[in-house]
Amino acid sequence: EGEFVFVTHFPSGKRPFYVMDDPEAPGETLSFDLLLRGLEITTGGQRIHSYENQVQKLEARGHNPADFESYIGVPRVGLPPHGGLGIGLERLVMKICNLSNIRVF
């Protein structure tokens, strides 16, 4: 058992629409969570950078792509392919300092 554990390939329906599906594993995403001693420290994944693919994914989830135009339209005007990462620094500090709650101070 390690200190850090990566959890990958979440079901597509459990991740935001903008996370890319894995072309080699239909129904799974190219995303991850990093756990430190059982606590999620960060989450991330490859973003869909194709306007058409984002529209398809939104429609498959029953959403109107027009409601998301300000987000999904940016690749058409030059946004390069990118990924996303969200890290909870307070969670990381809590685990590094072996605190049960970050609010103890």
Side-chain angles (χ1 to χ4, degrees):
E1 180 178 315
E3 293 280 310
F4 289 97
V5 176
F6 274 102
V7 180
T8 63
H9 287 80
F10 286 88
S12 185
K14 299 292 183 182
R15 290 297 197 186
F17 75 89
Y18 51 77
V19 176
M20 189 178 291
D21 288 337
D22 186 343
E24 296 179 11
E28 296 180 356
T29 59
L30 295 174
S31 64
F32 66 89
D33 282 354
L34 174 62
L35 308 177
L36 172 59
R37 299 182 209 134
L39 181 69
E40 177 191 312
I41 299 300
T42 187
T43 187
Q46 174 65 46
R47 304 282 175 101
I48 297 172
H49 51 270
S50 160
Y51 177 82
E52 293 78 19
N53 289 350
Q54 287 188 349
V55 167
Q56 289 172 355
K57 200 161 183 185
L58 282 165
E59 288 174 343
R61 291 183 174 201
H63 297 296
N64 180 357
D67 294 339
F68 297 86
E69 189 60 36
S70 63
Y71 180 83
I72 66 175
V74 293
R76 296 189 297 177
V77 293
L79 180 71
H82 64 289
L85 177 71
I87 188 163
L89 292 177
E90 68 283 352
R91 291 179 177 199
L92 183 59
V93 169
M94 187 175 83
K95 282 298 182 177
I96 290 172
C97 295
N98 201 27
L99 301 171
S100 62
N101 188 325
I102 195 63
R103 297 184 185 118
V104 296
F105 295 106

